[in-house]
């Protein structure tokens, strides 16, 4: 959704807008992150383990503090949290203060929050999450560099650093002491983890990047000819340029509204954004099954329930 919002926002900004390079760079880093996580997923798909285990990707368990784990392995003996990074160049893991410094080919340096700190935080929060369910399991952790093209000049002092193909042997090397969860508890705990998952809904782009609403173009986009300005007809939308019709065009546009502008929309905002004059037409559009409403009459606002549509 973060990536979807970034792409939608760039499409609606004028060529040459000063924020465009910032959004494009962010898009690049989000794509790199997704690419890295997919690579790790691929490794797990190819390897099997002879002991009971469950693998979770992109899990955000509900707890007092929000946390999100790239990859998490649960066994009856222990848990493993993997923090996946896809940052190219020469990497230095600094300790005091903790920071990741990347040197690009041209010598330019960038600083990042230390993955070691993120990993330790996730280990602590997962341990606390387990404790609140009366489960005491050791939680191991490693930082995974998604691609071997990432060159490490200074590794972290105490944290295990892995490339994806080293993950299976790392996991096999973790001791399996006599004390372990019985199979029912293990399965129950795995289900608890999945049930406690909360879908991550990113902040709207306007809020994250402080872009005024007025900088974005409004209107409904035609997927056939890549232009804005589809016109509402009874039961469908039509593109004035290529004449294509699309009866779901407003759904895509509304989704973009929530990703770019804000979490709620009013009838007036909906009309202005979609380019619809009629209050009742806008009403019908907003009575969609994936929107919930709050308030009455002209104060009514609508919210998208993102969990209903992937
Ligand atoms: Zn068109």
């Amino acid at each position: 959704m973060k990536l979807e919002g970034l792409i939608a926002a760039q499409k609606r900004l004028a060529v040459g807008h000063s924020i465009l390079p910032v959004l494009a760079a962010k898009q690049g880093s989000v794509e790199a992150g997704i690419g890295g996580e997919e690579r790790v997923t691929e490794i797990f798909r190819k390897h099997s383990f002879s002991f009971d285990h469950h693998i979770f990707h992109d899990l955000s368990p509900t707890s007092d503090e929000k946390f999100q784990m790239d990859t998490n392995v649960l066994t009856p003996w222990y848990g493993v949290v993997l923090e996946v990074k896809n940052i190219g160049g020469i990497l230095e893991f600094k300790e005091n203060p903790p920071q990741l410094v990347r040197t690009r080919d041209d010598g330019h340096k960038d600083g990042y929050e230390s993955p070691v700190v993120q990993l330790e935080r996730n280990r602590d929060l997962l341990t606390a999450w387990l404790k609140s369910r009366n489960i005491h399991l050791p939680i191991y952790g490693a930082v995974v560099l998604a691609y071997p093209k990432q060159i490490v000049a200074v590794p972290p002092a105490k944290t295990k650093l892995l490339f994806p193909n080293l993950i299976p042997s790392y996991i096999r090397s973790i001791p399996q002491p006599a004390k372990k969860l019985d199979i029912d508890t293990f399965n129950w705990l795995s289900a608890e983890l999945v049930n406690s998952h909360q879908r991550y809904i990113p902040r709207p782009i306007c809020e994250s990047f402080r872009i005024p609403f007025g900088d974005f173009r409004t209107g409904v986009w035609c997927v056939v000819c890549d232009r804005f300005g589809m016109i509402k007809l009874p039961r469908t939308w039509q593109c004035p340029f290529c004449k294509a019709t699309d009866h779901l065009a407003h759904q895509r546009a509304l989704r973009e509204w929530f990703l770019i502008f804000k979490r709620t929309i009013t009838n007036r905002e909906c009309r202005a954004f979609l380019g619809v004059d009629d209050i009742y037409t806008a009403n019908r559009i907003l009575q969609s099954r994936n929107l919930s409403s709050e308030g009455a009459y002209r104060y009514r606002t609508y919210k998208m329930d993102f969990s209903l549509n992937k």
Side-chain angles (χ1 to χ4, degrees):
M1 280 169 68
K2 181 133 205 168
L3 184 60
E4 194 186 339
L6 285 164
I7 292 170
Q10 291 173 75
K11 213 173 64 193
R12 287 183 182 271
L13 287 167
V15 178
H17 191 288
S18 61
I19 199 79
L20 280 172
V22 178
L23 296 182
K26 185 73 198 167
Q27 181 184 339
S29 80
V30 172
E31 281 170 341
I34 294 171
E37 287 181 36
E38 276 171 358
R39 224 175 113 78
V40 171
T41 307
E42 204 47 48
I43 291 289
F44 278 113
R45 221 174 262 141
K46 275 191 265 176
H47 284 78
S48 59
F49 299 96
S50 55
F51 47 87
D52 284 327
H53 66 283
H54 290 136
I55 297 156
F56 306 86
H57 296 287
D58 244 329
L59 204 60
S60 306
T62 319
S63 72
D64 299 341
E65 244 182 290
K66 257 186 107 156
F67 71 118
Q68 186 265 334
M69 293 175 289
D70 294 337
T71 302
N72 171 28
V73 182
L74 193 66
T75 76
W77 300 271
Y78 57 83
V80 182
V81 175
L82 299 176
E83 183 70 35
V84 183
K85 286 290 154 213
N86 187 4
I87 298 170
I90 298 169
L91 305 176
E92 292 167 76
F93 290 81
K94 306 247 174 165
E95 294 292 328
N96 195 12
Q99 192 189 23
L100 173 62
V101 177
R102 173 267 292 273
T103 308
R104 292 192 230 164
D105 292 343
D106 63 5
H108 189 97
K109 283 180 193 284
D110 305 289
Y112 297 88
E113 191 194 342
S114 169
V116 172
V117 174
Q118 292 169 6
L119 176 68
E120 289 314 314
R121 182 170 174 271
N122 280 345
R123 277 178 64 187
D124 288 346
L125 288 169
L126 181 60
T127 304
W129 185 95
L130 292 166
K131 222 178 198 169
S132 71
R133 281 153 184 85
N134 221 4
I135 302 279
H136 301 268
L137 269 189
I139 302 299
Y140 295 83
V143 171
V144 178
L145 301 177
Y147 292 95
K149 70 172 193 289
Q150 297 170 273
I151 298 159
V152 182
V154 181
K158 295 189 204 93
T159 305
K160 190 87 187 160
L161 204 55
L162 299 169
F163 288 121
N165 58 351
L166 298 172
I167 295 171
S169 56
Y170 166 68
I171 288 175
R172 282 193 200 99
S173 74
I174 298 174
Q176 299 182 349
K179 193 165 173 277
K180 61 169 191 167
L181 302 178
D182 62 75
I183 193 70
D184 287 341
T185 310
F186 173 59
N187 286 331
W188 166 81
L189 189 62
S190 300
E192 269 286 288
L193 254 183
V194 172
N195 291 335
S196 133
H197 172 70
Q198 248 188 344
R199 194 148 187 236
Y200 168 71
I201 314 251
R203 274 162 70 202
I205 301 287
C206 272
E207 225 178 83
S208 302
F209 296 89
R210 298 173 183 271
I211 312 169
F213 282 24
D215 288 12
F216 291 89
R217 49 168 316 169
T218 57
V220 176
W221 187 56
C222 169
V223 285
V224 177
C225 72
D226 269 4
R227 278 186 272 201
F228 284 101
M230 288 195 98
I231 292 161
K232 183 79 187 92
L233 298 180
R235 275 184 288 279
T236 192
W237 293 81
Q238 189 177 46
C239 174
F241 307 103
C242 73
K243 302 294 173 205
T245 57
D246 182 352
H247 69 287
L248 295 176
H250 60 279
Q251 283 189 6
R252 242 186 349 263
L254 279 180
R255 199 176 152 88
E256 291 188 5
W257 167 277
F258 294 108
L259 292 172
I260 299 173
F261 301 100
K262 49 180 177 169
R263 293 277 171 85
T264 61
I265 192 166
T266 63
N267 185 293
R268 179 193 292 271
E269 287 167 336
C270 173
R271 278 178 284 144
F273 184 60
L274 300 182
V276 171
D277 296 327
D278 186 53
I279 282 194
Y280 300 101
T281 305
N283 245 342
R284 267 197 306 280
I285 288 171
L286 292 168
Q287 302 296 336
S288 140
R289 76 175 173 92
N290 52 18
L291 298 182
S292 59
S293 66
E294 208 172 81
Y297 306 110
R298 65 199 201 89
Y299 300 107
R300 179 170 294 169
T301 59
Y302 298 82
K303 250 180 118 156
M304 179 161 278
D305 183 355
F306 281 105
S307 61
L308 287 178
N309 49 3
K310 294 240 163 167

